[in-house]
Amino acid sequence: MGRLFGTDGVRGVANADLTAEMALGLSVAAAHVLAEAGTFEGHRPTAVVGRDPRASGEFLEAAVVAGLASAGVDVLRVGVLPTPAVAHLTGALGADLGVMLSASHNAMPDNGIKFFARGGHKLADDLEDRIEAVYEEHRTGAPWDRPTGSGVGRVRDHGEGFDTYVAHLVGVLPNRLDGLKIVLDEAHGAASQVSPEAFRRAGAEVVTIGAEPDGLNINDGCGSTHLEQLKAAVVEHGAALGIAHDGDADRCLAVDHTGEEVDGDQILAVLALAMRERSALRSDTVVATVMSNLGFKLAMEREGIRLVQTAVGDRYVLEEMKQHGFALGGEQSGHVIILDHATTGDGTLTGLLLAARVAESGRSLRELASVMERLPQVLINVPDVDKSRVKTSAELATAVGEAERELGETGRVLLRPSGTEPLVRVMVEAADIDQARSVAGRLADAVKSALG
């Protein structure tokens, strides 16, 4: 698997890349590293452990719990809950560590392990590096210092976590959802019970699809990566809107009453204006990545909201928000972070706040989302090129300059080396789809010529 920790924890095919032995070893290593860092000083440590419904999560959860308890950490097992729920409960219960077992929107055979620090925040990179180093050291034979007797960790189920999290979600809403019929696509994932319960308690009439997880059907033709069923269900039931989550419910996409998709950029735009009205949008600023549609940037400029852009990845959005105290950020994919109420992307919270805006304003989601016009966007992957020379090639710089002059103020060019493959992604936005395709095609040829 190369370096174990990626941008979102450790992830791979369960029982092939990500084994029970690895899950146990990483959990023991995490406990030892946090103890060395002083996190457990002066008290008996506690961890919150949750998972999504994947079949492999059952044995991986057992391995993580065993590893933590063997290292002297008491474990609160919260069962199947969304990633943001585990993050929230880690903070709300005063736990020293949170562990979530999920591979998010990936197919069922995959799984992953994500660690949260005290307060429910992502572990710092240096701690992840240290955990990986300690895991490797002991995997090859170095013995662990193990507690015995009363020093071993105790394990208990914490069923109250469900109600604690739902109460938190409903409690932060600025208004109720009475009178709204909403279709929820839960991707047969971690929010299959939490999300419908939260929307119902908030007053909505709820229709659910993709809410019958069996351990094998997570993300299978449903959820935020497959919106076709949700679009049809919203129209069929005459709903005001539809909300789609992914497997661990840290993202949210939406569908308006006509069955049209409302993506993460549009959701951010709607929430930014709503939060500014409530004086909750600190510094009148929203954070997004460089992949956000140009239409989002133009809309925010027109509305007098400042846009700060980061590298691709919700971790970079979160870092920018925390560093400067911004309240709202996210990605086109539907990872939306409302930092006053969550330490990570929270799809259920995002969907609730979006529905609350519809209910409070009396306007349809279609009308609210029209604050921005999505410009046509063309993405071409150019494989088998030297991606390291994207920023240094004079030939490529000339081609990009010509493209930018042709597009003017109503278009945009982005060349981005892949983080995992030997390819360069060419993205072009323009007011006209034919122009976007033409410019993207010429730039793809230029990438092949300059970097091939």
Side-chain angles (χ1 to χ4, degrees):
M1 293 176 66
R3 183 180 186 274
L4 292 181
F5 283 93
T7 57
D8 204 25
V10 178
R11 197 176 289 187
V13 177
N15 222 27
D17 302 319
L18 180 57
T19 63
E21 293 86 349
M22 180 183 289
L24 189 147
L26 284 171
S27 301
V28 176
H32 280 265
V33 168
L34 291 176
E36 291 171 2
T39 302
F40 305 159
E41 192 170 345
H43 66 280
R44 189 177 174 94
T46 303
V48 172
V49 177
R51 64 180 179 90
D52 73 20
R54 291 167 210 265
S56 60
E58 296 167 3
F59 78 78
L60 289 172
E61 176 193 57
V64 166
V65 170
L68 291 172
S70 75
V73 179
D74 292 336
V75 178
L76 299 174
R77 191 166 46 196
V78 297
V80 175
L81 284 178
T83 292
V86 173
H88 173 74
L89 291 170
T90 300
L93 297 173
D96 302 284
L97 175 67
V99 187
M100 178 66 186
L101 295 155
S102 176
S104 189
H105 60 278
N106 286 27
M108 183 278 294
D110 290 352
N111 216 320
I113 302 177
K114 181 187 292 188
F115 294 103
F116 292 103
R118 186 182 288 168
H121 297 276
K122 182 183 181 298
L123 280 186
D125 290 348
D126 62 329
L127 284 177
E128 286 187 343
D129 291 341
R130 179 63 182 149
I131 290 170
E132 184 167 335
V134 169
Y135 164 74
E136 288 293 342
E137 176 187 346
H138 289 273
R139 185 178 66 86
T140 55
W144 292 107
D145 178 18
R146 301 177 185 274
T148 58
S150 62
V152 302
R154 305 299 299 273
V155 181
R156 67 180 178 90
D157 291 328
H158 186 76
E160 307 96 306
F162 181 97
D163 278 328
T164 300
Y165 178 58
V166 171
H168 159 70
L169 292 172
V170 177
V172 303
L173 290 181
N175 53 271
R176 289 184 55 79
L177 310 182
D178 301 286
L180 287 186
K181 179 187 284 189
I182 301 171
V183 180
L184 303 176
D185 185 345
E186 303 299 346
H188 296 306
S192 293
Q193 294 185 45
V194 161
S195 178
E197 179 67 16
F199 275 87
R200 289 190 184 102
R201 287 192 197 180
E205 178 184 349
V206 174
V207 176
T208 59
I209 61 175
E212 298 177 356
D214 61 10
L216 306 177
N217 58 2
I218 190 168
N219 298 319
D220 187 8
C222 56
S224 61
T225 52
H226 304 277
L227 293 176
E228 296 77 17
Q229 290 187 53
L230 179 60
K231 291 177 179 181
V234 167
V235 174
E236 176 189 348
H237 291 280
L241 69 153
I243 298 294
H245 302 309
D246 59 341
D248 70 336
D250 65 351
R251 70 168 71 181
C252 165
L253 292 179
V255 170
D256 69 26
H257 71 285
T258 71
E260 285 295 311
E261 177 183 348
V262 177
D263 70 11
D265 287 340
Q266 293 168 297
I267 292 171
L268 275 177
V270 172
L271 295 184
L273 294 177
M275 290 173 65
R276 186 175 64 176
E277 279 189 16
R278 302 196 308 271
S279 299
L281 189 69
R282 288 195 292 279
S283 302
D284 285 346
T285 298
V286 62
V287 182
T289 77
V290 292
M291 287 298 287
S292 290
N293 192 278
L294 179 58
F296 175 65
K297 180 180 180 181
L298 296 175
M300 293 299 93
E301 287 178 355
R302 186 181 66 248
E303 296 294 331
I305 293 175
R306 185 166 73 102
L307 173 64
V308 175
Q309 291 185 289
T310 72
V312 176
D314 61 324
R315 65 179 297 174
Y316 301 113
V317 173
L318 181 58
E319 286 172 5
E320 183 72 21
M321 293 174 68
K322 289 168 67 175
Q323 182 176 350
H324 298 284
F326 299 134
L328 178 66
E331 294 186 288
Q332 194 179 62
S333 61
H335 282 107
V336 175
I337 304 168
I338 300 113
L339 203 51
D340 286 343
H341 307 302
T343 59
T344 184
D346 190 327
T348 306
L349 175 62
T350 300
L352 285 164
L353 288 171
L354 189 66
R357 179 60 167 171
V358 172
E360 177 268 336
S361 67
R363 300 161 66 191
S364 69
L365 178 57
R366 185 178 182 85
E367 181 183 355
L368 291 169
S370 69
V371 67
M372 68 161 279
E373 178 184 355
R374 279 186 293 186
L375 295 183
Q377 188 179 84
V378 174
L379 180 66
I380 299 177
N381 291 329
V382 185
D384 303 319
V385 293
D386 183 0
K387 63 182 182 180
S388 67
R389 295 194 293 117
V390 167
K391 294 182 179 180
T392 59
S393 169
E395 179 184 346
L396 202 52
T398 298
V400 169
E402 291 174 356
E404 289 176 337
R405 283 190 293 275
E406 177 182 340
L407 294 170
E409 293 296 317
T410 58
R412 185 167 69 109
V413 170
L414 179 66
L415 301 188
R416 188 167 69 88
S418 168
T420 57
E421 302 171 82
L423 59 81
V424 172
R425 306 189 195 283
V426 176
M427 191 273 284
V428 174
E429 291 172 337
D432 177 76
I433 184 61
D434 291 332
Q435 184 184 33
R437 288 175 180 148
S438 174
V439 172
R442 293 201 305 272
L443 280 174
D445 290 340
V447 170
K448 293 175 188 173
S449 173
L451 307 182

